[in-house]
């Protein structure tokens, strides 16, 4: 399995493509938007330049990595020779189901189909294909080239052979794969998102401010990043989507998104990617200035 197709050139997709290509795999990076592909490749190049500057890789290794990536705007053309397809499109269930229906038709019968979803049911995604035993979750963490963990999520009918193949493949990338079962939020987000949501509730209820909440968690719990800063980094829209999936899946009110989070997403205050969330990123992408509405 040396040909890997990656669907989506956004933050997660270009990070996944970067990681596979740097590990010697041939990568077909696919997105319907040429502009998105151009931005994705520019990000990969910038991140490789950073690795060269830190002497973690050589200039030759950077060029080899870039040479391993080919871009496509046509899905059928991009997945033609893939032994594995990793979907990393927007966290939208209808979009993912459509992509997997298309992949089922466009790929060979033995091609493994993986999704990088952070919360959506692998079993639900697999059910729209004619190969549910070959569908699996590969939940990479952001930033993909740096973070070691990959959650490997088995759908209800994912085969043992496919699970073992993807576990070993993840190890070949220098990652640490952890096998989990298919329930809303899996493990990472089932634990992380309620914590983030509770931090937002704490702010919403006036218990403490943004800086104070994050400082307590960083200095008191040894977290490298406070929960509100982390929410901004992930994207508040993504956090809301994951909480909604868990709330719908478990029907448990403890997963209900905080009204403040809902309103911030409605207002377009999505965190780093929009320039403002709990912090103001107009001058720096670092969480140095609390947003005016919380100051």
């Amino acid at each position: 399995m040396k040909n890997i197709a990656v669907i989506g050139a956004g933050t997660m997709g270009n990070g996944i493509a970067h990681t596979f290509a740097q590990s010697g795999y041939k990568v077909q990076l696919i997105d319907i938007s040429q502009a998105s592909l151009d931005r994705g490749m520019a990000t990969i190049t910038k991140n490789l330049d950073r690795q060269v500057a830190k002497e973690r890789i050589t200039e030759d290794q950077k060029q080899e990595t870039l040479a391993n990536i080919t871009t496509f705007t046509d899905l059928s053309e991009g997945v033609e020779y893939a032994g594995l397809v990793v979907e990393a499109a927007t966290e939208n269930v209808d979009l993912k189901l459509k992509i997997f229906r298309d992949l089922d038709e466009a790929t060979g019968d033995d091609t493994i189909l993986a999704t990088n979803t952070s919360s959506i049911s692998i079993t639900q995604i697999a059910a729209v294909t004619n190969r549910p035993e070959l569908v699996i979750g590969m939940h990479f963490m952001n930033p993909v080239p740096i973070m070691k963990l990959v959650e490997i999520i088995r759908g209800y009918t994912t085969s043992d052979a496919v699970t073992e193949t993807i576990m070993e493949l993840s190890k070949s990338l220098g990652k640490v794969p952890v096998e989990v079962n298919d329930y809303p939020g899996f493990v990472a987000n089932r634990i992380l998102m309620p914590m983030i949501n509770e931090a937002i509730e704490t702010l919403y209820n006036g218990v403490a401010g943004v800086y104070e909440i994050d400082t307590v968690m960083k200095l008191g719990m040894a977290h490298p990043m406070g929960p509100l800063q982390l929410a901004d980094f992930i994207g508040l829209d993504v956090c809301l989507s994951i909480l909604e999936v868990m709330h719908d899946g478990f029907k448990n009110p403890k997963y209900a998104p905080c009204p403040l989070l809902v309103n911030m997403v409605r207002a377009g205050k999505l965190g780093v990617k929009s320039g403002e969330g709990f912090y103001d990123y107009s001058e720096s992408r670092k969480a140095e200035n609390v947003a005016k509405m919380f100051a």
Side-chain angles (χ1 to χ4, degrees):
M1 189 182 296
K2 296 300 290 182
N3 287 299
I4 311 295
V6 178
I7 310 292
T11 299
M12 296 305 294
N14 70 59
I16 294 167
H18 173 162
T19 301
F20 272 107
Q22 192 169 330
S23 297
Y25 293 89
K26 297 296 183 183
V27 177
Q28 293 81 51
L29 181 59
I30 306 162
D31 199 295
I32 58 173
S33 166
Q34 184 60 52
S36 293
L37 287 169
D38 293 342
R39 285 193 297 271
M41 290 304 299
T43 297
I44 293 170
T45 301
K46 181 178 69 175
N47 290 336
L48 288 168
D49 284 337
R50 188 177 294 116
Q51 289 179 286
V52 172
K54 293 181 178 179
E55 298 184 346
R56 292 175 180 168
I57 63 172
T58 65
E59 179 65 27
D60 285 346
Q61 288 173 315
K62 168 195 163 182
Q63 295 302 329
E64 288 170 8
T65 298
L66 291 172
N68 281 337
I69 304 173
T70 308
T71 61
F72 295 86
T73 54
D74 182 88
L75 184 141
S76 296
E77 185 181 356
V79 302
E80 185 175 0
Y81 301 108
L84 167 68
V85 180
V86 182
E87 171 272 319
T90 302
E91 193 75 349
N92 177 289
V93 64
D94 292 331
L95 174 61
K96 289 185 185 294
L97 295 182
K98 180 184 185 306
I99 289 172
F100 273 79
R101 288 189 189 99
D102 293 343
L103 288 174
D104 196 42
E105 294 182 2
T107 58
D109 293 341
D110 58 350
T111 300
I112 297 173
L113 305 181
T115 174
N116 182 58
T117 182
S118 54
S119 61
I120 297 169
S121 168
I122 308 304
T123 302
Q124 181 183 6
I125 291 172
V128 303
T129 75
N130 293 308
R131 64 183 91 186
E133 71 284 356
L134 298 183
V135 178
I136 195 165
M138 289 186 80
H139 181 207
F140 290 86
M141 304 294 127
N142 184 31
V144 181
I146 295 172
M147 300 292 280
K148 291 289 187 181
L149 176 66
V150 185
E151 271 189 308
I152 306 300
I153 307 105
R154 295 184 65 137
Y156 190 77
T157 52
T158 305
S159 73
D160 291 341
V162 165
T163 303
E164 182 60 30
T165 295
I166 297 304
M167 292 284 284
E168 292 303 314
L169 180 71
S170 300
K171 291 175 185 177
S172 77
L173 302 175
K175 303 299 185 186
V176 178
V178 176
E179 181 182 338
V180 305
N181 290 318
D182 184 23
Y183 291 95
F186 316 132
V187 171
N189 283 317
R190 185 168 178 173
I191 295 170
L192 174 64
M193 286 302 153
M195 183 192 75
I196 286 176
N197 199 43
E198 194 62 31
I200 299 171
E201 285 278 3
T202 303
L203 176 65
Y204 180 57
N205 292 329
V207 178
V210 170
Y211 173 80
E212 289 75 16
I213 291 168
D214 278 354
T215 299
V216 167
M217 296 305 292
K218 286 190 288 186
L219 299 186
M221 313 305 166
H223 290 194
M225 190 181 294
L228 300 176
Q229 180 187 357
L230 180 56
D232 276 356
F233 181 71
I234 293 169
L236 301 191
D237 53 337
V238 176
C239 294
L240 177 60
S241 175
I242 295 169
L243 284 164
E244 288 175 337
V245 167
M246 292 196 296
H247 188 224
D248 181 64
F250 290 116
K251 302 295 190 290
N252 188 322
K254 75 178 182 179
Y255 298 114
C258 176
L260 175 58
L261 173 62
V262 175
N263 277 343
M264 290 180 70
V265 172
R266 286 175 177 167
K269 307 299 185 182
L270 308 181
V272 176
K273 62 187 171 185
S274 71
E276 184 181 336
F278 295 104
Y279 293 86
D280 183 342
Y281 301 95
S282 58
E283 296 181 2
S284 170
R285 288 177 65 86
K286 296 180 180 179
E288 297 174 336
N289 301 311
V290 173
K292 288 182 180 178
M293 70 176 295
F294 302 118

